[in-house]
Amino acid sequence: MGRLKLLIKYLGDYKGYFSLNVVFNLLGVAFTLVGISSMMPLIELLFKGNDDSILQFLKPNPNIDGFSRKYLEYEVNHWFATSIKEAPSFIEGKKTVLFNVCMFIAASFFLKNLFLYLATFFLAPVRNGIIAALRNDVYKKMLSLPISYYSDEKKGDLMSRMSNDVMQVESGMIAFQRFLREPIQVIVFLVGLFFISWELTLVVLLLLPLTALFVSIIGKGLKRTSKKAQGQLGQVLSVVEETLSAVKLIKGFAAESTFAKSFKKYNKRFYDLRNRQIRKSSASSPISETIGIAVFAVVMWIGGNIVFDAEDGLRGATLITFLMYMWGLLSPIKAVIGAINNLQVSMVSMDRLEDILHADEQNENDGSVKIKSFQNEITFKGVRFKYEDEEVIKGVDLTIPKGKTVALVGHSGSGKSTLADLVPRFYSVSEGAILIDGQNINALNAQSLRKLTGIVTQDSILFNDSVRNNLSLGVDGLTDEQFHQALKIANASEFVNELENGIDTVIGEGGGKLSGGQRQRLCIARAVLQNPPLLILDEATSALDTQSEKLVQEALEKVMDGRTAIVIAHRLSTIKNADVIVVMDKGQIIEQGSHDELFMLKGTYYNLCNMQKLN
């Protein structure tokens, strides 16, 4: 039901096109019926060998009880008789009628194909528009989900949902088009069959459900297999994504064969599932066709006996027309069955996309109050946080005055980065509160809160774009002077000016055309470009060589001058001059003070300094 509501929501934007599609489908089906019906007079004409068999229909129609099969048969023959009588000869009359019938059949099928083309023409923007809207919504949702969501999901699987699953839904839209058109055709042909012979039509209706039974069994198995196959493709893409991210490391350890073997295992599983999926999907068509032909043969045998045995029963031409209607009925039924199977696969993909669209944003959009600056301090009051069942922050109380630099130090896993991530609400606290000027950050609009913050991480995250666009990150209205000022503060002006196109140079995927120190200085320039009042520096120099570290550290010192900063560092030399140093262990603050104060305590910080030979 949820998927139907989702589809109707998207269809609402294209109701005009969709209505035209329905109208032209109806017209196309109507002319299909007219075209096939035109075969009856053609057959009658070809098999009437003498003028007596035709001219007997010159008399008025005796079937005056109403519009019926017999009435229609007589009227067709009456038209033949009149046309032939008016001709110079019997043969000339038959040729004239033959020409008129053939032209009528050709015109009927031309109009049928024209209207069906127009139906597809007007459905194209509906189909593609829905897919485009779905892709936009999924991408937008992925951007709005909290960081914690991506800790539980594999990137490759998310990529599979954005690409393969959306494509499967697109295939489902094609199937949906058939699912809309073919039932109309089925109904129209059933009406025609009942009009010719309700007895024979009942035989058809009694036998055809066998097809539906077999296809239903296949469809259920196909849906299960498709769900497994889609999930396995996500695993395959996850392995590819991880390999591309770590290709240098894999080659460095000569581990190509190990990874190739692992990938082959995942790919073999996907190969097996796809084989099962294709075989199940392919089985429905020959089964339905075989049953359909068997039903066709039975009806042809019964109808032939009626023609032979009854003087006033079916005419031969009428039986052939009935069989053509029935053949026309089998084709849309077969198309509907194929569409149902394709829809089964698409529904699996829709379910996987709905998992993203309905994922809990976990207060990401809570808080309506917009904040543009803060005046006094950031306060942690009894803050606790846990990932699922593991508590990693345990009752932290801390005050960060505006304009001061607070350094977080401690062993790996002590909770430093997690504590810093709570400030821009990448994660929401489990207990306690974080206040900015006395206001709980949960009451603040998340985007306005994050615009207060400039972030520089250990990993230099850059995009395959120009230096300008990497620095602005989509913010419009920035002047060249602002760009150059930010680059100057980050000690990046010199190398950027030497690039081929200066600030408009494209720097490659992940900034691959630059050195590690250059990439990090661009990240610093990006962090300060909009002059945020708060900086979060998460081990910003730990991955750099000594010379690059010196340049980056100088840039950071200029950046932090006059700003509030939260600095996470393993190298204690980089935070020796911080206003407050907070020592953490197992999610708790165990020491707090300036470098000199903590060094005099001769506690955990003192031991850390001795390990790094820092006085």
Side-chain angles (χ1 to χ4, degrees), residues 1-4 6-7 165 168-173 175-176 223 226-227 230 339-355:
M1 194 65 184
R3 290 176 304 215
L4 183 60
L6 187 65
L7 184 61
D165 284 308
Q168 289 289 0
V169 173
E170 184 170 5
S171 298
M173 289 302 301
F176 184 66
K223 187 173 182 179
S226 298
K227 188 172 184 177
Q230 297 293 77
I340 289 172
N341 284 336
N342 288 335
L343 284 171
Q344 294 276 21
V345 177
S346 297
M347 288 303 100
V348 172
S349 293
M350 184 67 86
D351 286 340
R352 284 164 52 82
L353 291 171
E354 275 196 301
D355 287 343

PDB file of all heavy atoms in Angstrom, residues 1-4 6-7 165 168-173 175-176 223 226-227 230 339-355:
ATOM      1  N   MET A   1       0.835  -1.212   0.000  1.00  0.00           N
ATOM      2  CA  MET A   1       0.000   0.000   0.000  1.00  0.00           C
ATOM      3  C   MET A   1       0.868   1.260   0.000  1.00  0.00           C
ATOM      4  O   MET A   1       0.584   2.247  -0.666  1.00  0.00           O
ATOM      5  CB  MET A   1      -0.909  -0.016   1.227  1.00  0.00           C
ATOM      6  CG  MET A   1      -2.038   0.994   1.161  1.00  0.00           C
ATOM      7  SD  MET A   1      -3.196   0.609  -0.166  1.00  0.00           S
ATOM      8  CE  MET A   1      -4.297   1.999  -0.051  1.00  0.00           C
ATOM      9  N   GLY A   2       1.978   1.204   0.759  1.00  0.00           N
ATOM     10  CA  GLY A   2       2.888   2.338   0.822  1.00  0.00           C
ATOM     11  C   GLY A   2       3.500   2.639  -0.532  1.00  0.00           C
ATOM     12  O   GLY A   2       3.646   3.795  -0.923  1.00  0.00           O
ATOM     13  N   ARG A   3       3.828   1.568  -1.284  1.00  0.00           N
ATOM     14  CA  ARG A   3       4.426   1.751  -2.608  1.00  0.00           C
ATOM     15  C   ARG A   3       3.415   2.373  -3.560  1.00  0.00           C
ATOM     16  O   ARG A   3       3.766   3.209  -4.397  1.00  0.00           O
ATOM     17  CB  ARG A   3       4.910   0.399  -3.152  1.00  0.00           C
ATOM     18  CG  ARG A   3       6.106  -0.141  -2.396  1.00  0.00           C
ATOM     19  CD  ARG A   3       6.498  -1.495  -2.883  1.00  0.00           C
ATOM     20  NE  ARG A   3       5.413  -2.460  -2.818  1.00  0.00           N
ATOM     21  CZ  ARG A   3       5.565  -3.745  -2.530  1.00  0.00           C
ATOM     22  NH1 ARG A   3       6.757  -4.217  -2.254  1.00  0.00           N
ATOM     23  NH2 ARG A   3       4.552  -4.570  -2.512  1.00  0.00           N
ATOM     24  N   LEU A   4       2.130   1.971  -3.446  1.00  0.00           N
ATOM     25  CA  LEU A   4       1.082   2.542  -4.292  1.00  0.00           C
ATOM     26  C   LEU A   4       0.911   4.029  -4.009  1.00  0.00           C
ATOM     27  O   LEU A   4       0.785   4.842  -4.922  1.00  0.00           O
ATOM     28  CB  LEU A   4      -0.235   1.793  -4.056  1.00  0.00           C
ATOM     29  CG  LEU A   4      -1.424   2.231  -4.923  1.00  0.00           C
ATOM     30  CD1 LEU A   4      -1.106   2.040  -6.394  1.00  0.00           C
ATOM     31  CD2 LEU A   4      -2.672   1.454  -4.526  1.00  0.00           C
ATOM     32  N   LEU A   6       3.171   6.008  -2.848  1.00  0.00           N
ATOM     33  CA  LEU A   6       4.362   6.674  -3.361  1.00  0.00           C
ATOM     34  C   LEU A   6       4.238   6.903  -4.857  1.00  0.00           C
ATOM     35  O   LEU A   6       4.540   7.982  -5.363  1.00  0.00           O
ATOM     36  CB  LEU A   6       5.601   5.822  -3.047  1.00  0.00           C
ATOM     37  CG  LEU A   6       6.969   6.432  -3.374  1.00  0.00           C
ATOM     38  CD1 LEU A   6       7.221   7.656  -2.507  1.00  0.00           C
ATOM     39  CD2 LEU A   6       8.067   5.397  -3.163  1.00  0.00           C
ATOM     40  N   LEU A   7       3.760   5.889  -5.574  1.00  0.00           N
ATOM     41  CA  LEU A   7       3.601   5.997  -7.023  1.00  0.00           C
ATOM     42  C   LEU A   7       2.559   7.056  -7.381  1.00  0.00           C
ATOM     43  O   LEU A   7       2.766   7.865  -8.292  1.00  0.00           O
ATOM     44  CB  LEU A   7       3.197   4.635  -7.597  1.00  0.00           C
ATOM     45  CG  LEU A   7       3.073   4.539  -9.117  1.00  0.00           C
ATOM     46  CD1 LEU A   7       4.403   4.839  -9.784  1.00  0.00           C
ATOM     47  CD2 LEU A   7       2.569   3.167  -9.523  1.00  0.00           C
ATOM     48  N   ASP A 165      18.966  -0.323  -8.443  1.00  0.00           N
ATOM     49  CA  ASP A 165      17.573  -0.403  -7.981  1.00  0.00           C
ATOM     50  C   ASP A 165      16.694   0.640  -8.672  1.00  0.00           C
ATOM     51  O   ASP A 165      15.533   0.367  -8.994  1.00  0.00           O
ATOM     52  CB  ASP A 165      17.497  -0.240  -6.464  1.00  0.00           C
ATOM     53  CG  ASP A 165      17.936  -1.500  -5.740  1.00  0.00           C
ATOM     54  OD1 ASP A 165      17.416  -2.572  -6.060  1.00  0.00           O
ATOM     55  OD2 ASP A 165      18.808  -1.423  -4.869  1.00  0.00           O
ATOM     56  N   GLN A 168      15.948  -0.711 -12.001  1.00  0.00           N
ATOM     57  CA  GLN A 168      14.927  -1.763 -11.925  1.00  0.00           C
ATOM     58  C   GLN A 168      13.532  -1.153 -11.801  1.00  0.00           C
ATOM     59  O   GLN A 168      12.564  -1.666 -12.370  1.00  0.00           O
ATOM     60  CB  GLN A 168      15.205  -2.682 -10.733  1.00  0.00           C
ATOM     61  CG  GLN A 168      16.412  -3.584 -10.900  1.00  0.00           C
ATOM     62  CD  GLN A 168      16.180  -4.692 -11.911  1.00  0.00           C
ATOM     63  OE1 GLN A 168      15.112  -4.812 -12.500  1.00  0.00           O
ATOM     64  NE2 GLN A 168      17.190  -5.498 -12.136  1.00  0.00           N
ATOM     65  N   VAL A 169      13.432  -0.067 -11.052  1.00  0.00           N
ATOM     66  CA  VAL A 169      12.137   0.621 -10.939  1.00  0.00           C
ATOM     67  C   VAL A 169      11.731   1.188 -12.299  1.00  0.00           C
ATOM     68  O   VAL A 169      10.558   1.172 -12.669  1.00  0.00           O
ATOM     69  CB  VAL A 169      12.195   1.736  -9.878  1.00  0.00           C
ATOM     70  CG1 VAL A 169      10.914   2.562  -9.877  1.00  0.00           C
ATOM     71  CG2 VAL A 169      12.412   1.126  -8.491  1.00  0.00           C
ATOM     72  N   GLU A 170      12.719   1.681 -13.062  1.00  0.00           N
ATOM     73  CA  GLU A 170      12.429   2.182 -14.403  1.00  0.00           C
ATOM     74  C   GLU A 170      11.888   1.057 -15.289  1.00  0.00           C
ATOM     75  O   GLU A 170      10.935   1.247 -16.048  1.00  0.00           O
ATOM     76  CB  GLU A 170      13.683   2.782 -15.033  1.00  0.00           C
ATOM     77  CG  GLU A 170      13.417   3.413 -16.384  1.00  0.00           C
ATOM     78  CD  GLU A 170      14.594   4.207 -16.906  1.00  0.00           C
ATOM     79  OE1 GLU A 170      15.664   4.191 -16.264  1.00  0.00           O
ATOM     80  OE2 GLU A 170      14.455   4.839 -17.962  1.00  0.00           O
ATOM     81  N   SER A 171      12.495  -0.135 -15.182  1.00  0.00           N
ATOM     82  CA  SER A 171      11.967  -1.294 -15.922  1.00  0.00           C
ATOM     83  C   SER A 171      10.543  -1.600 -15.462  1.00  0.00           C
ATOM     84  O   SER A 171       9.685  -1.990 -16.262  1.00  0.00           O
ATOM     85  CB  SER A 171      12.860  -2.514 -15.695  1.00  0.00           C
ATOM     86  OG  SER A 171      14.155  -2.290 -16.184  1.00  0.00           O
ATOM     87  N   GLY A 172      10.318  -1.417 -14.174  1.00  0.00           N
ATOM     88  CA  GLY A 172       8.977  -1.629 -13.643  1.00  0.00           C
ATOM     89  C   GLY A 172       7.973  -0.640 -14.204  1.00  0.00           C
ATOM     90  O   GLY A 172       6.797  -0.971 -14.382  1.00  0.00           O
ATOM     91  N   MET A 173       8.431   0.589 -14.515  1.00  0.00           N
ATOM     92  CA  MET A 173       7.530   1.578 -15.111  1.00  0.00           C
ATOM     93  C   MET A 173       7.102   1.143 -16.513  1.00  0.00           C
ATOM     94  O   MET A 173       5.968   1.370 -16.927  1.00  0.00           O
ATOM     95  CB  MET A 173       8.217   2.951 -15.168  1.00  0.00           C
ATOM     96  CG  MET A 173       8.390   3.606 -13.806  1.00  0.00           C
ATOM     97  SD  MET A 173       6.819   3.836 -12.945  1.00  0.00           S
ATOM     98  CE  MET A 173       5.942   4.869 -14.100  1.00  0.00           C
ATOM     99  N   ALA A 175       6.871  -2.000 -17.391  1.00  0.00           N
ATOM    100  CA  ALA A 175       5.906  -3.066 -17.104  1.00  0.00           C
ATOM    101  C   ALA A 175       4.574  -2.475 -16.656  1.00  0.00           C
ATOM    102  O   ALA A 175       3.503  -2.981 -17.011  1.00  0.00           O
ATOM    103  CB  ALA A 175       6.468  -3.990 -16.021  1.00  0.00           C
ATOM    104  N   PHE A 176       4.643  -1.387 -15.901  1.00  0.00           N
ATOM    105  CA  PHE A 176       3.417  -0.734 -15.424  1.00  0.00           C
ATOM    106  C   PHE A 176       2.618  -0.182 -16.600  1.00  0.00           C
ATOM    107  O   PHE A 176       1.375  -0.213 -16.597  1.00  0.00           O
ATOM    108  CB  PHE A 176       3.785   0.389 -14.455  1.00  0.00           C
ATOM    109  CG  PHE A 176       2.596   1.061 -13.822  1.00  0.00           C
ATOM    110  CD1 PHE A 176       1.768   0.367 -12.953  1.00  0.00           C
ATOM    111  CD2 PHE A 176       2.299   2.385 -14.099  1.00  0.00           C
ATOM    112  CE1 PHE A 176       0.667   0.976 -12.374  1.00  0.00           C
ATOM    113  CE2 PHE A 176       1.211   3.006 -13.523  1.00  0.00           C
ATOM    114  CZ  PHE A 176       0.391   2.296 -12.653  1.00  0.00           C
ATOM    115  N   LYS A 223      10.303 -13.252  -6.791  1.00  0.00           N
ATOM    116  CA  LYS A 223      10.458 -12.116  -5.884  1.00  0.00           C
ATOM    117  C   LYS A 223      11.499 -12.415  -4.809  1.00  0.00           C
ATOM    118  O   LYS A 223      12.349 -11.579  -4.493  1.00  0.00           O
ATOM    119  CB  LYS A 223       9.111 -11.782  -5.238  1.00  0.00           C
ATOM    120  CG  LYS A 223       9.139 -10.505  -4.397  1.00  0.00           C
ATOM    121  CD  LYS A 223       7.764 -10.126  -3.921  1.00  0.00           C
ATOM    122  CE  LYS A 223       7.798  -8.827  -3.127  1.00  0.00           C
ATOM    123  NZ  LYS A 223       6.452  -8.423  -2.658  1.00  0.00           N
ATOM    124  N   SER A 226      14.954 -12.386  -6.444  1.00  0.00           N
ATOM    125  CA  SER A 226      15.349 -11.027  -6.818  1.00  0.00           C
ATOM    126  C   SER A 226      15.838 -10.244  -5.610  1.00  0.00           C
ATOM    127  O   SER A 226      16.814  -9.495  -5.698  1.00  0.00           O
ATOM    128  CB  SER A 226      14.163 -10.295  -7.465  1.00  0.00           C
ATOM    129  OG  SER A 226      13.764 -10.946  -8.643  1.00  0.00           O
ATOM    130  N   LYS A 227      15.168 -10.440  -4.476  1.00  0.00           N
ATOM    131  CA  LYS A 227      15.579  -9.730  -3.262  1.00  0.00           C
ATOM    132  C   LYS A 227      16.986 -10.152  -2.846  1.00  0.00           C
ATOM    133  O   LYS A 227      17.823  -9.319  -2.482  1.00  0.00           O
ATOM    134  CB  LYS A 227      14.579 -10.026  -2.138  1.00  0.00           C
ATOM    135  CG  LYS A 227      14.804  -9.186  -0.888  1.00  0.00           C
ATOM    136  CD  LYS A 227      13.668  -9.376   0.103  1.00  0.00           C
ATOM    137  CE  LYS A 227      13.846  -8.446   1.303  1.00  0.00           C
ATOM    138  NZ  LYS A 227      12.726  -8.564   2.255  1.00  0.00           N
ATOM    139  N   GLN A 230      19.557  -8.641  -5.441  1.00  0.00           N
ATOM    140  CA  GLN A 230      19.803  -7.217  -5.264  1.00  0.00           C
ATOM    141  C   GLN A 230      20.719  -6.965  -4.063  1.00  0.00           C
ATOM    142  O   GLN A 230      21.613  -6.122  -4.118  1.00  0.00           O
ATOM    143  CB  GLN A 230      18.480  -6.466  -5.072  1.00  0.00           C
ATOM    144  CG  GLN A 230      17.531  -6.528  -6.254  1.00  0.00           C
ATOM    145  CD  GLN A 230      18.066  -5.792  -7.456  1.00  0.00           C
ATOM    146  OE1 GLN A 230      18.938  -6.300  -8.157  1.00  0.00           O
ATOM    147  NE2 GLN A 230      17.552  -4.624  -7.714  1.00  0.00           N
ATOM    148  N   ALA A 339       4.560  -8.551 -17.384  1.00  0.00           N
ATOM    149  CA  ALA A 339       4.599  -7.305 -16.617  1.00  0.00           C
ATOM    150  C   ALA A 339       4.552  -7.572 -15.115  1.00  0.00           C
ATOM    151  O   ALA A 339       5.235  -6.917 -14.333  1.00  0.00           O
ATOM    152  CB  ALA A 339       3.433  -6.402 -17.026  1.00  0.00           C
ATOM    153  N   ILE A 340       3.747  -8.567 -14.718  1.00  0.00           N
ATOM    154  CA  ILE A 340       3.656  -8.912 -13.290  1.00  0.00           C
ATOM    155  C   ILE A 340       5.009  -9.381 -12.771  1.00  0.00           C
ATOM    156  O   ILE A 340       5.460  -8.994 -11.684  1.00  0.00           O
ATOM    157  CB  ILE A 340       2.579  -9.988 -13.067  1.00  0.00           C
ATOM    158  CG1 ILE A 340       1.179  -9.392 -13.280  1.00  0.00           C
ATOM    159  CG2 ILE A 340       2.683 -10.585 -11.659  1.00  0.00           C
ATOM    160  CD1 ILE A 340       0.065 -10.410 -13.267  1.00  0.00           C
ATOM    161  N   ASN A 341       5.694 -10.204 -13.563  1.00  0.00           N
ATOM    162  CA  ASN A 341       7.020 -10.681 -13.147  1.00  0.00           C
ATOM    163  C   ASN A 341       8.013  -9.532 -13.032  1.00  0.00           C
ATOM    164  O   ASN A 341       8.796  -9.457 -12.081  1.00  0.00           O
ATOM    165  CB  ASN A 341       7.536 -11.724 -14.139  1.00  0.00           C
ATOM    166  CG  ASN A 341       6.861 -13.073 -13.965  1.00  0.00           C
ATOM    167  OD1 ASN A 341       6.359 -13.388 -12.891  1.00  0.00           O
ATOM    168  ND2 ASN A 341       6.810 -13.867 -15.018  1.00  0.00           N
ATOM    169  N   ASN A 342       7.980  -8.629 -14.026  1.00  0.00           N
ATOM    170  CA  ASN A 342       8.876  -7.472 -13.955  1.00  0.00           C
ATOM    171  C   ASN A 342       8.539  -6.573 -12.773  1.00  0.00           C
ATOM    172  O   ASN A 342       9.426  -6.006 -12.130  1.00  0.00           O
ATOM    173  CB  ASN A 342       8.798  -6.666 -15.261  1.00  0.00           C
ATOM    174  CG  ASN A 342       9.459  -7.380 -16.417  1.00  0.00           C
ATOM    175  OD1 ASN A 342      10.342  -8.209 -16.216  1.00  0.00           O
ATOM    176  ND2 ASN A 342       9.024  -7.078 -17.630  1.00  0.00           N
ATOM    177  N   LEU A 343       7.241  -6.445 -12.496  1.00  0.00           N
ATOM    178  CA  LEU A 343       6.829  -5.637 -11.345  1.00  0.00           C
ATOM    179  C   LEU A 343       7.268  -6.267 -10.028  1.00  0.00           C
ATOM    180  O   LEU A 343       7.586  -5.567  -9.065  1.00  0.00           O
ATOM    181  CB  LEU A 343       5.308  -5.442 -11.350  1.00  0.00           C
ATOM    182  CG  LEU A 343       4.767  -4.428 -12.369  1.00  0.00           C
ATOM    183  CD1 LEU A 343       3.251  -4.476 -12.423  1.00  0.00           C
ATOM    184  CD2 LEU A 343       5.233  -3.019 -12.016  1.00  0.00           C
ATOM    185  N   GLN A 344       7.299  -7.613  -9.990  1.00  0.00           N
ATOM    186  CA  GLN A 344       7.783  -8.293  -8.782  1.00  0.00           C
ATOM    187  C   GLN A 344       9.217  -7.889  -8.490  1.00  0.00           C
ATOM    188  O   GLN A 344       9.591  -7.585  -7.351  1.00  0.00           O
ATOM    189  CB  GLN A 344       7.708  -9.820  -8.969  1.00  0.00           C
ATOM    190  CG  GLN A 344       6.300 -10.374  -9.086  1.00  0.00           C
ATOM    191  CD  GLN A 344       5.655 -10.621  -7.727  1.00  0.00           C
ATOM    192  OE1 GLN A 344       6.058 -10.053  -6.730  1.00  0.00           O
ATOM    193  NE2 GLN A 344       4.647 -11.456  -7.696  1.00  0.00           N
ATOM    194  N   VAL A 345      10.064  -7.888  -9.541  1.00  0.00           N
ATOM    195  CA  VAL A 345      11.463  -7.483  -9.375  1.00  0.00           C
ATOM    196  C   VAL A 345      11.547  -6.014  -8.983  1.00  0.00           C
ATOM    197  O   VAL A 345      12.318  -5.628  -8.098  1.00  0.00           O
ATOM    198  CB  VAL A 345      12.251  -7.739 -10.681  1.00  0.00           C
ATOM    199  CG1 VAL A 345      13.692  -7.262 -10.537  1.00  0.00           C
ATOM    200  CG2 VAL A 345      12.230  -9.226 -11.034  1.00  0.00           C
ATOM    201  N   SER A 346      10.731  -5.186  -9.636  1.00  0.00           N
ATOM    202  CA  SER A 346      10.755  -3.750  -9.347  1.00  0.00           C
ATOM    203  C   SER A 346      10.277  -3.451  -7.931  1.00  0.00           C
ATOM    204  O   SER A 346      10.769  -2.519  -7.287  1.00  0.00           O
ATOM    205  CB  SER A 346       9.878  -2.996 -10.354  1.00  0.00           C
ATOM    206  OG  SER A 346      10.379  -3.136 -11.646  1.00  0.00           O
ATOM    207  N   MET A 347       9.308  -4.226  -7.436  1.00  0.00           N
ATOM    208  CA  MET A 347       8.823  -4.003  -6.078  1.00  0.00           C
ATOM    209  C   MET A 347       9.910  -4.281  -5.044  1.00  0.00           C
ATOM    210  O   MET A 347       9.989  -3.615  -4.012  1.00  0.00           O
ATOM    211  CB  MET A 347       7.608  -4.891  -5.800  1.00  0.00           C
ATOM    212  CG  MET A 347       6.327  -4.479  -6.526  1.00  0.00           C
ATOM    213  SD  MET A 347       5.805  -2.766  -6.177  1.00  0.00           S
ATOM    214  CE  MET A 347       6.402  -1.917  -7.642  1.00  0.00           C
ATOM    215  N   VAL A 348      10.775  -5.265  -5.345  1.00  0.00           N
ATOM    216  CA  VAL A 348      11.914  -5.522  -4.456  1.00  0.00           C
ATOM    217  C   VAL A 348      12.815  -4.291  -4.417  1.00  0.00           C
ATOM    218  O   VAL A 348      13.245  -3.843  -3.349  1.00  0.00           O
ATOM    219  CB  VAL A 348      12.705  -6.767  -4.936  1.00  0.00           C
ATOM    220  CG1 VAL A 348      13.994  -6.914  -4.128  1.00  0.00           C
ATOM    221  CG2 VAL A 348      11.859  -8.022  -4.800  1.00  0.00           C
ATOM    222  N   SER A 349      13.088  -3.732  -5.608  1.00  0.00           N
ATOM    223  CA  SER A 349      13.928  -2.536  -5.672  1.00  0.00           C
ATOM    224  C   SER A 349      13.236  -1.351  -4.998  1.00  0.00           C
ATOM    225  O   SER A 349      13.885  -0.560  -4.312  1.00  0.00           O
ATOM    226  CB  SER A 349      14.239  -2.191  -7.132  1.00  0.00           C
ATOM    227  OG  SER A 349      15.052  -3.187  -7.710  1.00  0.00           O
ATOM    228  N   MET A 350      11.910  -1.235  -5.180  1.00  0.00           N
ATOM    229  CA  MET A 350      11.179  -0.152  -4.533  1.00  0.00           C
ATOM    230  C   MET A 350      11.246  -0.283  -3.013  1.00  0.00           C
ATOM    231  O   MET A 350      11.387   0.718  -2.297  1.00  0.00           O
ATOM    232  CB  MET A 350       9.720  -0.149  -5.007  1.00  0.00           C
ATOM    233  CG  MET A 350       8.892   0.993  -4.472  1.00  0.00           C
ATOM    234  SD  MET A 350       9.402   2.600  -5.085  1.00  0.00           S
ATOM    235  CE  MET A 350       8.490   2.678  -6.619  1.00  0.00           C
ATOM    236  N   ASP A 351      11.160  -1.513  -2.525  1.00  0.00           N
ATOM    237  CA  ASP A 351      11.283  -1.743  -1.078  1.00  0.00           C
ATOM    238  C   ASP A 351      12.640  -1.265  -0.576  1.00  0.00           C
ATOM    239  O   ASP A 351      12.751  -0.648   0.493  1.00  0.00           O
ATOM    240  CB  ASP A 351      11.100  -3.230  -0.757  1.00  0.00           C
ATOM    241  CG  ASP A 351       9.648  -3.670  -0.863  1.00  0.00           C
ATOM    242  OD1 ASP A 351       8.760  -2.799  -0.800  1.00  0.00           O
ATOM    243  OD2 ASP A 351       9.408  -4.881  -1.024  1.00  0.00           O
ATOM    244  N   ARG A 352      13.700  -1.578  -1.337  1.00  0.00           N
ATOM    245  CA  ARG A 352      15.055  -1.182  -0.924  1.00  0.00           C
ATOM    246  C   ARG A 352      15.208   0.342  -0.951  1.00  0.00           C
ATOM    247  O   ARG A 352      15.886   0.917  -0.096  1.00  0.00           O
ATOM    248  CB  ARG A 352      16.088  -1.845  -1.839  1.00  0.00           C
ATOM    249  CG  ARG A 352      16.302  -3.316  -1.528  1.00  0.00           C
ATOM    250  CD  ARG A 352      17.017  -4.063  -2.642  1.00  0.00           C
ATOM    251  NE  ARG A 352      18.250  -3.436  -3.068  1.00  0.00           N
ATOM    252  CZ  ARG A 352      19.433  -3.563  -2.460  1.00  0.00           C
ATOM    253  NH1 ARG A 352      19.525  -4.320  -1.364  1.00  0.00           N
ATOM    254  NH2 ARG A 352      20.514  -2.968  -2.923  1.00  0.00           N
ATOM    255  N   LEU A 353      14.575   0.996  -1.921  1.00  0.00           N
ATOM    256  CA  LEU A 353      14.632   2.449  -1.972  1.00  0.00           C
ATOM    257  C   LEU A 353      13.784   3.065  -0.852  1.00  0.00           C
ATOM    258  O   LEU A 353      14.155   4.096  -0.275  1.00  0.00           O
ATOM    259  CB  LEU A 353      14.146   2.952  -3.331  1.00  0.00           C
ATOM    260  CG  LEU A 353      15.069   2.623  -4.517  1.00  0.00           C
ATOM    261  CD1 LEU A 353      14.395   2.978  -5.832  1.00  0.00           C
ATOM    262  CD2 LEU A 353      16.394   3.349  -4.395  1.00  0.00           C
ATOM    263  N   GLU A 354      12.666   2.417  -0.551  1.00  0.00           N
ATOM    264  CA  GLU A 354      11.820   2.916   0.547  1.00  0.00           C
ATOM    265  C   GLU A 354      12.534   2.828   1.883  1.00  0.00           C
ATOM    266  O   GLU A 354      12.287   3.638   2.784  1.00  0.00           O
ATOM    267  CB  GLU A 354      10.509   2.122   0.598  1.00  0.00           C
ATOM    268  CG  GLU A 354       9.445   2.652  -0.351  1.00  0.00           C
ATOM    269  CD  GLU A 354       8.065   2.122  -0.004  1.00  0.00           C
ATOM    270  OE1 GLU A 354       7.880   0.896   0.001  1.00  0.00           O
ATOM    271  OE2 GLU A 354       7.177   2.948   0.281  1.00  0.00           O
ATOM    272  N   ASP A 355      13.422   1.833   2.030  1.00  0.00           N
ATOM    273  CA  ASP A 355      14.202   1.742   3.265  1.00  0.00           C
ATOM    274  C   ASP A 355      14.998   3.018   3.497  1.00  0.00           C
ATOM    275  O   ASP A 355      15.180   3.462   4.640  1.00  0.00           O
ATOM    276  CB  ASP A 355      15.168   0.543   3.196  1.00  0.00           C
ATOM    277  CG  ASP A 355      14.434  -0.782   3.325  1.00  0.00           C
ATOM    278  OD1 ASP A 355      13.281  -0.777   3.781  1.00  0.00           O
ATOM    279  OD2 ASP A 355      15.017  -1.826   2.954  1.00  0.00           O
TER     280      ASP A 355
END
